[in-house]
Amino acid sequence: MLHFNRAHYLDLNPYPQQVTTQPVATGMPAVLYESVQERALAAQLAAMQGQAAAVLGVSTLHLFWDWFEWVRQTPVQVFMAQDTYPFIQLLAKRAFNAQRLQTFRNMAELAQQLARVAAVSAVMVVADSWSLRRNQPFAVNICLQLLAGRRGWLVLDDTQTLGLLGQNPSPSLPFGSDGGGILPWVGAASEQVVLIASLAKALGTPLAVLSGSEAVVQGFRERSHTRTYCSPPSPWLVEHALYALQQHAQAGEWRRRLLVGNIRYFQAQLRGLGIRLEGGVFPVQKLVFPHGWQCVAVYRYLRQRQVETVVTRTDCGACALTVILRAGHRRDAIQRLVQLLRQALVYLRCPLSAELL
């Protein structure tokens, strides 16, 4: 089976060869006990992201739940990007009523909305650091300019870029280096930024982190409900995350180069096939078909031949066959995928072909 549906972008192996000495669970909440390893991991992630401090969480759902629960106690006006990850939107709608929560499509609309809010009022902007629907990063620097002089935060879900993007991007190295995520990649630094991210993508470990200023992280620690009433991150996974960061430090730059090469190779192989391709430099590549049934038919055709992809939608609502490329993909695997796509396109020109039924 060839998997083009897994988002372990760098294909790190975060599981040490030796048998772990850590327990699966601590038996107590994080508010009562936080290990040396947890604090070390949080400190490494904060430094990597260009933030002053960080705290770990079981998942981004836990962290966003707690963050919104804390912020809702204050008179803050919330502005959320329309393409923010769905579960974050659900949590925000649960925490804030319609009078306190607005959505925006672009920076111009956000600027208009902020202009209608008194300068002394607290505001919070929420977005994904990289929009998979729009295939582009959030305009961090423009947003920070809009927030300059105001009380409030820019809260970003940095799951897609942590471990992948980093400082000093260039045409030859579009991901940049060091894997610190969106802030180093766009060259931004501000105490108004709060990052919430999962390590499950590029770093391959199902843990989450919230990072920001010392005051914000300390306030979150003191008010977090899940740190009080839920199990903390598994010590076993914390150890694996530390090992993943060690692997990343040793081979991250090389694996980013491999990934860029695979993306460009895939795009080159598709030229001339007449398929609209979206995704740019990002590992998530979308093949857009004129009709939804064509997308589903090609997905089934590939799956029957042991090639896994994903059916999603573009920003305009069109059906897309999504291919997720990784550093560990071999060129012959990509060639096999493209070969099958060529065959499927031939059958698409014959709508009654049994191959696509």
Side-chain angles (χ1 to χ4, degrees):
M1 180 72 75
L2 296 179
H3 288 280
F4 291 92
N5 59 349
R6 295 178 177 174
H8 294 162
Y9 301 136
L10 298 185
D11 268 334
L12 296 175
N13 178 17
Y15 303 102
Q17 298 299 318
Q18 69 272 18
V19 177
T20 180
T21 59
Q22 297 297 323
V24 174
T26 63
M28 65 185 85
V31 72
L32 294 181
Y33 175 74
E34 201 168 359
S35 69
V36 173
Q37 288 83 1
E38 283 181 77
R39 290 187 176 274
L41 176 59
Q44 287 186 44
L45 290 169
M48 189 174 173
Q49 293 179 293
Q51 298 279 71
V55 60
L56 301 183
V58 174
S59 70
T60 52
L61 188 150
H62 288 75
L63 293 176
F64 270 105
W65 176 287
D66 275 346
W67 176 260
F68 288 151
E69 280 296 307
W70 177 23
V71 174
R72 72 185 293 190
Q73 309 303 322
T74 64
V76 63
Q77 191 70 28
V78 182
F79 303 89
M80 177 170 288
Q82 284 187 349
D83 54 351
T84 303
Y85 202 65
F87 92 81
I88 301 174
Q89 295 190 45
L90 290 174
L91 291 180
K93 290 174 182 177
R94 172 195 167 276
F96 306 100
N97 59 35
Q99 286 71 41
R100 298 180 65 189
L101 176 62
Q102 300 180 58
T103 60
F104 62 92
R105 291 169 295 180
N106 50 50
M107 288 296 105
E109 188 170 21
L110 175 61
Q112 293 173 359
Q113 292 172 344
L114 288 172
R116 292 193 288 267
V117 179
V120 295
S121 299
V123 297
M124 178 173 69
V125 178
V126 182
D128 292 344
S129 63
W130 190 284
S131 171
L132 292 180
R133 288 184 69 90
R134 298 188 179 187
N135 308 301
Q136 64 185 25
F138 183 72
V140 175
N141 287 313
I142 295 176
C143 187
L144 289 176
Q145 291 174 10
L146 295 176
L147 293 178
R150 286 184 173 273
R151 292 190 300 118
W153 306 278
L154 168 59
V155 182
L156 296 173
D157 179 354
D158 202 28
T159 297
Q160 293 295 334
T161 73
L162 178 59
L164 181 64
L165 303 186
Q167 61 186 350
N168 301 321
S170 66
S172 60
L173 293 174
F175 296 149
S177 61
D178 77 27
I182 193 66
L183 292 186
W185 195 68
V186 300
S190 171
E191 290 194 349
Q192 289 183 291
V193 177
V194 176
L195 300 176
I196 297 177
S198 170
L199 280 64
K201 303 294 185 185
L203 297 175
T205 306
L207 280 179
V209 61
L210 179 147
S211 63
S213 68
E214 292 277 4
V216 163
V217 172
Q218 185 58 35
F220 181 85
R221 284 177 178 276
E222 294 170 355
R223 295 167 178 83
S224 166
H225 289 176
T226 62
R227 284 174 53 82
T228 302
Y229 301 112
C230 299
S231 296
S234 167
W236 188 72
L237 290 176
V238 171
E239 182 179 52
H240 290 173
L242 287 167
Y243 183 75
L245 289 186
Q246 180 183 338
Q247 276 198 318
H248 176 267
Q250 295 171 350
E253 306 306 330
W254 172 61
R255 301 198 75 79
R256 272 184 281 277
R257 288 177 183 272
L258 287 177
L259 179 54
V260 170
N262 281 343
I263 294 169
R264 289 175 172 166
Y265 180 77
F266 176 70
Q267 293 172 339
Q269 293 295 304
L270 285 184
R271 290 194 188 106
L273 291 188
I275 303 177
R276 193 173 106 225
L277 184 63
E278 297 182 358
V281 300
F282 212 71
V284 180
Q285 300 286 301
K286 295 180 180 179
L287 287 69
V288 185
F289 293 86
H291 305 288
W293 70 266
Q294 296 172 322
C295 177
V296 174
V298 174
Y299 165 80
R300 289 174 176 168
Y301 181 83
L302 295 174
R303 200 161 197 264
Q304 290 167 0
R305 287 152 183 81
Q306 306 297 300
V307 176
E308 293 283 5
T309 54
V310 186
V311 175
T312 61
R313 291 195 178 275
T314 65
D315 188 46
C316 63
C319 189
L321 183 75
T322 297
V323 173
I324 303 175
L325 295 166
R326 308 192 312 272
H329 276 133
R330 293 165 54 95
R331 292 294 169 91
D332 57 355
I334 298 174
Q335 288 175 353
R336 172 64 175 161
L337 169 62
V338 173
Q339 178 188 29
L340 290 174
L341 285 171
R342 289 178 185 273
Q343 294 173 5
L345 289 176
V346 172
Y347 293 128
L348 279 179
R349 298 186 182 98
C350 305
L352 298 181
S353 172
E355 294 290 340
L356 293 179
L357 296 180

